[in-house]
Structures are given as C-alpha cells and as structure tokens.
C-alpha cells in the first residue's frame, strides 16, 4: 500500500487525509462543557502576560501530555463555538493565541489548531448539508465583522477543504469533470479571499499557510511557491506548518523528485542551527510521515530525528501524540531499542491518524517488545568489538588472527553464487581460540552466509582455529570486501 500524497499537519488528519478522525466528544458534551467553563475559564498561558486578553473559552482542559486526543477535541470545541455563533469568542481565542505564541505540550501551536477547527465541518464525515451550513456560518461571521482577519483566513481554508471534498482523494484520472470544475472554482475563491487582504494586514502566519494550500491546489511553480514560503518564514520563523506544507510540495507525487523533501528539511534545519534546527527537522518529518510505504522517510537522518525529539520534549514537554509519531519513526527506521520504550509510554493510547489501524499499531508494538532485547545485545557487542579493534592489544592480535581467518575467506571466494558486496562480520573468539559467535547486523549476503556456516561448523567440531585472544570471549568486527579477495586470488 502506498502512502497518500496529501499533506496533513501532525496534530490531525487534515482535509488531505483519507481517514477522518473518529468522534471524540459529542456535541452535547462539548456544549455542556463550554457552558460550565463559560467566562470564568482563563487560559493558564494568558495569565503570564497582561498584554494577552483573557477569553471566555480557554481550552486549558485539553492536555496533550496526558490525552492523545486532546488536540482533536480542542478543534472540535472550536468548531462547536462556530456552530453556536460565538464569533467574538473565537476571535478572542485566535488573537490571544497569536499574541502569546502559545503552544500545547509537545509544541503544537494553539493558533494553528484554532484554524484547523474551523477549516471544515467537525466532527466525523461531513455531508453536503454539513458543508453548506459550515460555509454559511463563516459567511455570516464575515458579514458581521468584515475586517476580521480570523474569519477571512478560516473562510479561505474552508474553501480549500471544500475544494478537496469535491475532488475526492483518488488519483487524478478518477476525478470527474464536475469534480475538477468545483475544485478549481473553490480554490480560486479561497485565493480571492486571501488576495483581498491587504499586504499590511497579513499579520497572521496562517494567512501564509492558507495561501500555501492554495498554491498547492493551483500547482504554482517552484519559484512562486518558494517566494511565498520565504515571506512566511520572515514573519514567524518557528511556525513548523510552513515547512511541512513546503516539504509536501516537494514530494514526487506533487512537484519534486525523490529525496527533495528530506534535503529541504536538512537545509532548513541547518539554517536554523543548533537545537532549534534539530527540533525543526523532527517537526518537518513528523508532519509528513505516514503508516504506509513511504520511500521519502528513508532519506531522513534517524540520529538527527532522535535529537530533535529529545529537544522537543525538553523545550515543550511530552505529548502522547508526538510519542506516537516518534514510535512510528523508530519502527520505520528499524530501531526497536528506541521504539520499545516509546510504545510502553503510549500504552493503549494509540492515535488513528498516526497508525491508521489498531492492528498495525499492535503489530509494531509486539515486534519492538520482542526484538529490542536482541538489538540491545547486538549494539553492546558492536561497541565492545569497535573498542577492541582500536586498542593496541586488538591491533596486535589481528596480526596473528588475519592469516588464519583468510582461509575461510578463500574458501568462500570460490563460491560462484557469492555476493561481492562489502559487509561487516562480528565474531566472538573464545579464550582457547574457538569461535563462540558470528553474525552480521544486516541481511547477510551469500558470501557472509558461507563464512558463518564454516565458522559454525568449526564450533560444532570443537575446533580452535584461531590463536588465543588478549582476553576470553573477545569481540571483533571484521570489514570484508569479497571483490578485493577475488581480485587478489586472480
């Protein structure tokens, strides 16, 4: 199964995701919650600054550190405010979020989540009636407050979402003529709304996010898209959503080639530099990774992603949703040592937008629990072997060991089916010169299997083919190049 090419923010499955998020909280519960909170609710982050207004709705009860669905529920609550026509409350929340640059645990910006709560009918799978009611609410708000930047951005993003609703999520050839027509008209309407906002009034980073989504829908060329992205970064350099949309634009499914998105992530992270760069690198990958066949992810640096995750947790605190994403990254990287503790932190709090199915989540969690102990042992083995090979005793031992080992290499070099690829062979030599263990860390080639079979036969025969090592149970790492051996033999 190939990954869908549609962009989504890490915090939720957006308009471009096939699978809509399940209903977390019913409208009735949300309504009661909002009534109970009422004007007495004040966001904890707004208390820190007298310049940020206290709003009737704070969202302080949505804790991403302990609730994997907190952000989705927050967006549902914002959508409920729209349905109740509490336009002034939404305006206050958006303005406070922008002025305070407030974030949830894990680094998700509250401002972005406000707009994601307004970009389509929520929750569930909207019908055409739902869409018409949603658009009518936003148009009523705009009529009441035509100078509101918040409602105009929300209306533009909703037209983008409405356009994708008309197009559908299938491949281009499957889209009907009427679907394409509606798609083009609605994307154009979104652009018209955004273009109608004077350049001096484009003070929200989400104006740029909305225009980036328009640009992708209208297939802008790379120079235009790049210029828009650069303007966005100049306004708010740490707004990870710009980078995610641009990285998605560079995927082969859209306007780039294999590896372009990961190269962009690296370049953007390097420009930021230090911890901020590592954090951004992780956030870009987090916004585009999927639980599917995803060739682009293989181009990302797993060590740097781990650094970015550590920086994120240190700076913004833990988030169950982010831990889900990290566990998926670790699983796709084959690092079960990192994945296993992440799965233990998640417990049963898996996220559908990250894993798609519970079966896939549980399968990876099971593999991590089973494989992590052996990977830990293999990692420790390598570390000891590398230390031994660098030590004076190890280098002296190789003088006597290598000629003995060469006999096994020569024997296997005669195998016509042998793969000439280089590989590392890890060997443990017993105190008496016997072979106690041999293995490779990757899928062994035919040449590697040949050597390991010969060493195992030596072990079974209780032979001592090598000189005694500097100490018993001595770990070694041998770099073997079959092509060089074959050339020497000739």
């Amino acid at each position: 199964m190939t990954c869908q090419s549609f962009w989504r923010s890490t915090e939720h499955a957006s308009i471009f995701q096939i699978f809509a998020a399940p209903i977390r909280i019913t409208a009735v519960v949300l309504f009661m919650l909002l009534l109970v909170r009422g004007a007495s609710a004040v966001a904890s982050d707004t208390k820190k600054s007298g310049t940020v207004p206290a709003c009737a709705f704070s969202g302080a009860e949505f804790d991403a550190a302990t609730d994997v669905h907190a952000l989705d529920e927050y967006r549902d609550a914002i959508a409920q405010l729209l349905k109740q026509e509490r336009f002034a409350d939404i305006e206050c929340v958006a303005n406070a979020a922008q002025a305070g640059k407030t974030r949830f645990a894990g680094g998700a910006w509250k401002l972005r989540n406000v707009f994601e709560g307004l970009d389509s009918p929520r929750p569930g799978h909207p019908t055409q009636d739902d869409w018409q009611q949603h658009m009518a609410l936003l148009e009523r708000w705009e009529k009441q407050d035509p100078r509101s930047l918040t409602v105009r951005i929300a209306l533009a993003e909703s037209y983008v979402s409405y356009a994708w609703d008309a197009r559908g999520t299938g491949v281009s050839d499957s889209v009907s003529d009427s679907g394409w027509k509606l798609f083009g008209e609605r994307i154009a309407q979104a652009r018209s709304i955004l273009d109608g906002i004077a350049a001096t009034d484009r003070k929200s980073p989400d104006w740029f996010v909305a225009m980036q989504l328009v640009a992708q829908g209208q297939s802008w060329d790379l120079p235009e898209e790049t210029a828009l992205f650069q303007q966005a970064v100049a306004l708010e350099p740490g707004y990870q959503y710009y980078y995610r949309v641009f990285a998605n634009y560079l995927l082969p499914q859209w306007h780039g080639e294999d590896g372009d998105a990961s190269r962009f992530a690296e370049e953007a992270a390097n420009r930021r530099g230090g911890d901020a760069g590592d954090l951004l690198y992780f956030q870009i990958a987090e916004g585009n990774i999927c639980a599917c066949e995803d060739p682009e992810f293989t181009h990302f640096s797993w060590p740097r992603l781990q650094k970015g995750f550590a920086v994120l947790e240190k700076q913004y605190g833990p988030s169950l949703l982010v831990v889900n994403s990290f566990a998926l990254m670790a699983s796709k990287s084959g690092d079960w040592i990192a994945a296993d503790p992440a799965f233990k932190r998640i417990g049963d709090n898996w996220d559908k937008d990250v894993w798609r199915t519970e079966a896939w989540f549980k399968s990876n969690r099971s593999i991590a629990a089973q494989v992590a102990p052996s990977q830990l042992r293999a990692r420790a083995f390598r570390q000891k072997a590398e230390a031994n090979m660098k030590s004076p005793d190890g280098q002296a031992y190789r003088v006597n060991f290598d000629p003995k080992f060469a006999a096994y290499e020569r024997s296997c070099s005669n195998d016509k089916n042998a793969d000439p690829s280089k590989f590392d062979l890890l060997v443990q030599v017993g105190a008496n010169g016997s072979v106690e263990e041999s293995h490779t860390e990757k899928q062994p080639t035919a040449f590697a299997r040949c050597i390991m079979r010969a060493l195992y036969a030596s072990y079974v025969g209780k032979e001592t083919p090598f000189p005694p090592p500097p100490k018993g149970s001595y770990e070694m790492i041998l770099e073997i190049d079959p092509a060089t051996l074959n050339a020497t033999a000739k």
Side-chain angles (χ1 to χ4, degrees), residues 88-117:
D89 288 339
I90 301 173
E91 190 78 54
C92 181
V93 171
N95 291 340
Q98 181 169 336
K101 298 187 178 184
T102 51
R103 305 196 189 204
F104 291 97
W109 289 65
K110 286 190 175 181
L111 180 63
R112 184 64 206 146
N113 281 274
V114 170
F115 285 107
E116 288 176 355

Side-chain angles (χ1 to χ4, degrees), residues 241-261:
Y241 310 98
Y242 305 143
Y243 301 88
R244 291 174 178 175
V245 182
F246 194 80
N248 184 264
Y249 172 90
L250 294 173
L251 291 174
Q253 301 96 313
W254 292 97
H255 305 286
E257 297 181 358
D258 185 44
D260 282 352

Side-chain angles (χ1 to χ4, degrees), residues 86 103 145 166 204 271 309 315 390 402 436 453 485:
R86 293 173 58 176
R103 305 196 189 204
D145 189 4
S204 170
R271 281 195 296 272
F309 175 70
Q315 188 166 341
K390 293 176 182 177
D402 287 350
E436 295 181 337
R453 282 196 301 267
L485 293 170

Side-chain angles (χ1 to χ4, degrees), residues 54-128:
C55 303
F57 171 77
S58 72
E61 66 273 17
F62 300 103
D63 185 3
T66 58
D67 181 3
V68 71
H69 304 306
L71 302 189
D72 199 53
E73 291 167 354
Y74 177 83
R75 290 185 291 269
D76 286 348
I78 294 295
Q80 187 67 13
L81 291 177
L82 179 65
K83 291 176 183 177
Q84 295 170 4
E85 300 191 31
R86 293 173 58 176
F87 306 141
D89 288 339
I90 301 173
E91 190 78 54
C92 181
V93 171
N95 291 340
Q98 181 169 336
K101 298 187 178 184
T102 51
R103 305 196 189 204
F104 291 97
W109 289 65
K110 286 190 175 181
L111 180 63
R112 184 64 206 146
N113 281 274
V114 170
F115 285 107
E116 288 176 355
L118 299 172
D119 70 3
S120 60
R122 296 179 64 90
H125 301 273
T127 64
Q128 287 306 302

